[in-house]
Amino acid sequence: MDHRQLELLLSHLSSVERARVLRAIDTAVAEIGKELIGCKPSVYLYGSIVLGDLRPGLSDVDLLVLTQKPIDAAQAESLVGLRQRLTESDPINPWYRRLEGGMLSLAAFRTNAADRVVYWGTSGQRIAERHRFDTFSMVELLENGILLLGEDVRSAFSAPTYAALLADVRAHYAAICTHAQKTGRSVHSFGWLADIARGLYTIETGKVTSKTAAMQWALEKGICPVADKLAAALIVRKNPRTFDESIILGDMAEALGPDVQAFAKVLGKALETR
C-alpha cells in the first residue's frame, strides 16, 4: 500500500498515532485480502479519514469491501471475528476496534439485494443480510475514497442526487429531534452540533464536507444561535483530549440538549425551504 496520500491526510496526528492507524489499516487489509482471495475483493477507505478529519477518541476508520463473488459462510464466520483477533494481537493499538464497515458482494451493494454481509460497527460485529450505506458515505467514496486493494469498481456507481442528500439530512434531523433532547456527560454529545452544521452545509452547497470544516463554516456564517457551544464543540473536535481535562466541558456536554435543539431548529427551517 502506498502510504503517501494517507500520511498527508493523517498529518495532524502525532507520529505515534499516525503509525498506529497505518498499522491497523495495513494489517486488516492484508488479512481481509487473504481470506477473500478467491472472491477478488476491492477494499476502500471512506469517511472522516479520507477527508483529513480522523480524530482519536471520536472517529472510526471506515472500510468498504466489495467482492466479485459472494462471501461464503466459512469466510463470513472468520471475518466477523477478525477485528477482535487483531485487537487482541496488538492490545496497545486502539485503532483495530475503530475499524468499521461492511463486506459484501458488489452485485448486492449495487442493488441493495439480500446477501451475506459481514458488518463491523460501534455496537459490535455480526453477519447481516444487507448493508446500509447512506448518501454522505457514497459521496465520500466516489470523490475521496482510497482504494487499498483490488480493482477500482466505483465506475459502477452513480453519484447521489441533491434530493437523495436532502432525504438523508431529513433523516438525521429527525434523529436529532428524537434522541438529542437530553445529552450525557460524554465527548460524543458535542457531535450532535457537528451533525447539524454538516447538514446545513450540504443543504446550502449540495456537497459533503468534514464535520470539522462544517462547524468552521457555520461559525463563519454566523448561523448558529448557540455559537459559543459550537465553538466549544469545534475545540473538542480538533483535540478530544481537552474534554478529559476540563470539568467545564463535561458540565457543558451534560446540559447541551436545549442548545442542540436550538441549532436543530435552524436546520429544520432550512429543510422547509427545500
Side-chain angles (χ1 to χ4, degrees), residues 8 13 30 33 53 56 65 73 78 110 128 139-140 161 169 179 187 192 206 233 252 265-266:
L8 183 61
L13 301 180
D53 198 29
V65 180
S78 178
R110 289 182 62 189
V139 171
E140 293 162 358
T161 63
V169 174
H179 300 294
V187 66
W192 293 113
M252 185 183 296
K265 288 180 181 178
V266 178

Side-chain angles (χ1 to χ4, degrees), residues 183-198:
T183 53
R185 198 179 186 85
S186 166
V187 66
H188 297 288
S189 293
F190 291 99
W192 293 113
L193 296 173
D195 289 340
I196 295 166
R198 202 177 190 209

Side-chain angles (χ1 to χ4, degrees), residues 111-144:
T111 61
N112 196 33
D115 193 19
R116 185 178 287 111
V117 179
V118 176
Y119 175 74
W120 294 347
T122 304
S123 59
Q125 46 280 330
R126 63 183 182 273
I127 298 173
E129 289 189 353
R130 284 181 171 82
H131 182 49
R132 167 85 169 107
F133 202 76
D134 67 19
T135 56
F136 280 56
S137 297
M138 182 59 80
V139 171
E140 293 162 358
L141 177 68
L142 293 176
E143 295 184 357
N144 307 98

Side-chain angles (χ1 to χ4, degrees), residues 35-271:
E35 185 64 55
L36 295 176
I37 189 169
C39 297
K40 298 182 179 179
S42 298
V43 182
Y44 293 95
L45 279 177
Y46 68 99
S48 60
I49 189 169
V50 302
L51 299 177
D53 198 29
L54 191 74
R55 305 291 171 174
L58 287 177
S59 302
D60 301 307
V61 175
D62 295 302
L63 292 170
L64 176 67
V65 180
L66 301 174
T67 61
Q68 295 296 329
K69 298 179 181 179
I71 298 171
D72 66 33
Q75 290 169 324
E77 287 294 339
S78 178
L79 289 168
V80 80
L82 176 60
R83 183 173 66 165
Q84 183 62 29
R85 294 196 299 274
L86 293 176
T87 299
E88 291 169 357
S89 71
D90 191 2
I92 67 169
N93 189 339
W95 290 100
Y96 290 107
R97 57 181 174 270
R98 288 287 186 175
L99 297 170
E100 293 202 354
M103 309 178 205
L104 67 161
S105 70
L106 172 62
F109 183 79
R110 289 182 62 189
T111 61
N112 196 33
D115 193 19
R116 185 178 287 111
V117 179
V118 176
Y119 175 74
W120 294 347
T122 304
S123 59
Q125 46 280 330
R126 63 183 182 273
I127 298 173
E129 289 189 353
R130 284 181 171 82
H131 182 49
R132 167 85 169 107
F133 202 76
D134 67 19
T135 56
F136 280 56
S137 297
M138 182 59 80
V139 171
E140 293 162 358
L141 177 68
L142 293 176
E143 295 184 357
N144 307 98
I146 298 175
L147 179 66
L148 302 175
L149 180 71
E151 177 187 354
D152 195 346
V153 296
R154 284 175 290 187
S155 61
F157 312 137
S158 299
T161 63
Y162 181 69
L165 285 167
L166 278 184
D168 270 346
V169 174
R170 287 193 175 93
H172 284 300
Y173 171 67
I176 291 163
C177 291
T178 301
H179 300 294
Q181 294 288 336
K182 294 183 178 180
T183 53
R185 198 179 186 85
S186 166
V187 66
H188 297 288
S189 293
F190 291 99
W192 293 113
L193 296 173
D195 289 340
I196 295 166
R198 202 177 190 209
L200 286 164
Y201 178 89
T202 296
I203 289 172
E204 181 159 327
T205 68
K207 298 177 181 179
V208 172
T209 192
S210 71
K211 291 181 179 180
T212 299
M215 286 191 283
Q216 291 172 332
W217 171 85
L219 286 169
E220 291 167 3
K221 284 279 190 177
I223 58 176
C224 181
V226 286
D228 58 328
K229 305 300 172 45
L230 185 59
L234 183 57
I235 291 171
V236 170
R237 178 78 190 174
K238 289 182 176 181
N239 185 4
R241 289 186 179 89
T242 59
F243 180 83
D244 298 326
E245 299 165 356
S246 172
I247 294 174
I248 293 174
L249 287 173
D251 292 342
M252 185 183 296
E254 196 168 23
L256 205 57
D259 300 304
V260 171
Q261 296 307 315
F263 195 18
K265 288 180 181 178
V266 178
L267 178 59
K269 289 180 180 178
L271 285 168

